[in-house]
Amino acid sequence: MCAIQGSSNYPKRGGKCTLYEGGTTGDGFLSGPALSTKFRVPAGKNRTYPNIFHVVDWLPTLAAAVEGEPKGKPLDGVSHLKALRKSDDMRWEKPPREEVFIGYAYMNHAGDHWYGPSVRYRQWKLIQGGVGGPENPKLIPNGTQHPAQMGNASAVYSLYDLSSDPSEMHNVASKNPHIVQLLQKKLRVYRETYVPPQPKHDPKCPFQGLNSTPPFGKVWAPWCDGAREVVVYT
């Protein structure tokens, strides 16, 4: 279900099923003795990591911390271990990840509406179509059943500078055409390898909801044997 009212992600804009920061970002925490032994963070010191970190980066980062090497298919994630071990002042160093393909937002209860795609590069976020998703059920903009071509030069775009506008209130696309063109090119590159979102359930892996599965208790299905992959560390 998409929570588009009844809660607030302030100062972030939007919520679940949107491409705005309120629907695509979350807080992560690291704590414990491994911070000093593996990540070399002085005991008792709190640190805020300033770089873009995607959920797929956890595996290579934690593997590097224990000097392991994931085997199998190539990973989408990158290790942030070296950057996490740096001092707080990293302004002059290139971060491990500078961009992330945010993808599409999907609204189901109002029909097959698609918003996006969107891409984040450094402090810039570009949203194709100009709308990042519904924020009020009474003001749902018209979506399209089939997402527009990524990086379409004729499409409408919204561009936000998250460093100065974290709430995404000011569309600065018209003031930064070179940034729009740069991120359009990135969207076209992602289009070559992305997997289209499924508007319906995957018939090979149907969604069954909350099931009781002994001995683990209640879990969210599906759990598809064909989709599992064993990862071995050496």
Side-chain angles (χ1 to χ4, degrees):
M1 295 296 293
C2 298
I4 50 181
Q5 69 172 358
S7 62
S8 173
N9 290 320
Y10 182 84
K12 297 179 180 180
R13 180 178 177 180
K16 187 176 180 181
C17 298
T18 75
L19 297 168
Y20 300 115
E21 291 295 277
T24 59
T25 61
D27 296 324
F29 300 89
L30 286 176
S31 179
L35 286 180
S36 58
T37 59
K38 298 296 184 181
F39 292 89
R40 301 174 186 171
V41 177
K45 182 178 181 181
N46 296 325
R47 177 182 297 173
T48 299
Y49 189 60
N51 298 322
I52 299 173
F53 193 106
H54 192 277
V55 64
V56 298
D57 297 335
W58 280 116
L59 175 56
T61 300
L62 295 176
V66 296
E67 300 181 356
E69 182 179 353
K71 292 186 176 181
K73 294 181 180 180
L75 298 177
D76 293 323
V78 295
S79 173
H80 291 251
L81 182 63
K82 291 183 179 180
L84 285 165
R85 285 175 169 174
K86 295 287 185 179
S87 64
D88 292 332
D89 189 359
M90 299 174 57
R91 290 174 297 174
W92 310 115
E93 295 193 29
K94 183 178 179 179
R97 178 182 292 280
E98 292 188 293
E99 67 183 65
V100 60
F101 174 61
I102 299 173
Y104 293 96
Y106 175 55
M107 276 300 295
N108 190 29
H109 72 269
D112 288 336
H113 293 284
W114 293 95
Y115 304 91
S118 176
V119 63
R120 164 87 182 267
Y121 175 65
R122 295 181 179 174
Q123 79 270 29
W124 302 101
K125 178 190 284 186
L126 186 74
I127 299 177
Q128 181 171 301
V131 178
E135 299 174 84
N136 186 304
K138 298 180 180 179
L139 300 174
I140 296 176
N142 292 327
T144 56
Q145 190 166 3
H146 302 287
Q149 183 182 21
M150 292 188 200
N152 185 350
S154 63
V156 176
Y157 287 88
S158 292
L159 179 69
Y160 300 101
D161 183 350
L162 299 177
S163 64
S164 60
D165 181 26
S167 298
E168 299 170 281
M169 292 289 102
H170 306 287
N171 179 8
V172 293
S174 61
K175 298 179 181 179
N176 298 274
H178 59 295
I179 298 295
V180 172
Q181 292 176 2
L182 172 64
L183 298 190
Q184 281 179 323
K185 291 180 180 179
K186 290 184 178 295
L187 282 177
R188 289 194 287 269
V189 172
Y190 280 109
R191 181 176 181 268
E192 299 300 322
T193 57
Y194 94 113
V195 178
Q198 295 288 337
K200 305 297 182 183
H201 297 320
D202 185 347
K204 297 181 181 179
C205 191
F207 180 71
Q208 302 169 1
L210 190 62
N211 291 316
S212 179
T213 57
F216 303 106
K218 293 183 177 180
V219 298
W220 285 102
W223 181 266
C224 301
D225 290 337
R228 287 185 293 176
E229 178 183 1
V230 177
V231 179
V232 179
Y233 296 101
T234 58

